[in-house]
Amino acid sequence: QNIISGNAVDPGFDTPVLNENISAYNIYEINIQKSDIKITSNRRNVDLQLGDQHYKLNLFNDNLVVSYESENLPHLLGGSLNTGGTVSLTINDNFIYGFIRSGDSYKFIEPLKYFEKGAAENLFVFYDVSNVIETEEHVCGVSESEMKTDQLNNYKMPTTDCKIVDFGLANDFEMYQAHGSSVTNVENHNLGVLNNVQTN
């Protein structure tokens, strides 16, 4: 069974950047490896357990198709809750990024280190989009996904059509440094944002 479980924790240090950008949130310790999640045509259910919040998800692989080779591409999952809505999750070793949207509920999960540099790899922020504080100092996951969606809306077609878009990504050294001087971390982030956009 595909289970992702997290325990609510106090990070043990001040979180000023997070507090300036999100008014209410939970921090969870989630120890996950990419190999923990195996999605097949007969096995699409994922049980996401974050403290006392439980989500039954129905997900499929390759929500976003990547055509280049990489040593450690993440799972690019899309789908829904068992009760409907939309789910996007990008999962790799010590990495989860995405959202769960159903009705008026729109929740995001992303690494705490995106807000607080030096935070442990296994700490993640889970928040409702309604609690995002608009600032120009920091861009959280939901804001970044919305910006990329707006950029890609130029490719919009009638809903009965399907369009494949070749999309290239380039990153400068600052991006590499911002994500822990790791190519995998940069790929996880970039593909996570595009995976979210793909659900639109």
Side-chain angles (χ1 to χ4, degrees), residues 4-9 26-30 47-55 109 124 126:
I4 302 170
S5 62
N7 298 315
V9 296
N26 291 99
I27 297 173
Y28 293 98
E29 179 181 331
I30 305 171
D47 191 5
L48 178 62
Q49 304 170 3
L50 299 176
D52 59 0
Q53 301 181 73
H54 291 115
Y55 301 90
I109 187 167
F124 297 87
F126 191 61

Side-chain angles (χ1 to χ4, degrees), residues 61-133:
N61 272 319
D62 301 324
N63 188 45
L64 182 72
V65 177
V66 179
S67 60
Y68 68 90
E69 291 186 19
S70 176
E71 291 183 10
N72 192 20
L73 286 176
H75 288 306
L76 299 164
L77 307 175
S80 65
L81 293 157
N82 284 358
T83 55
T86 306
V87 177
S88 171
L89 284 181
T90 300
I91 296 173
N92 210 335
D93 297 338
N94 299 310
F95 184 83
I96 300 176
Y97 182 89
F99 67 84
I100 299 169
R101 188 173 197 167
S102 181
D104 294 334
S105 176
Y106 187 9
K107 299 197 175 192
F108 246 80
I109 187 167
E110 58 187 301
L112 177 59
K113 66 182 180 180
Y114 282 10
F115 296 91
E116 305 295 344
K117 300 302 176 197
E121 297 265 322
N122 64 346
L123 295 182
F124 297 87
V125 183
F126 191 61
Y127 60 92
D128 195 284
V129 169
S130 64
N131 293 318
V132 171
I133 302 166

Side-chain angles (χ1 to χ4, degrees), residues 19 23-24 31 48 59 64 70 74-76 106 138-139 141 144 147-148 159-160:
N19 295 337
S23 60
N31 296 304
L48 178 62
L59 303 176
L64 182 72
S70 176
H75 288 306
L76 299 164
Y106 187 9
H138 183 85
V139 178
E144 191 163 20
M147 285 188 299
K148 294 298 180 192
T159 54
T160 56

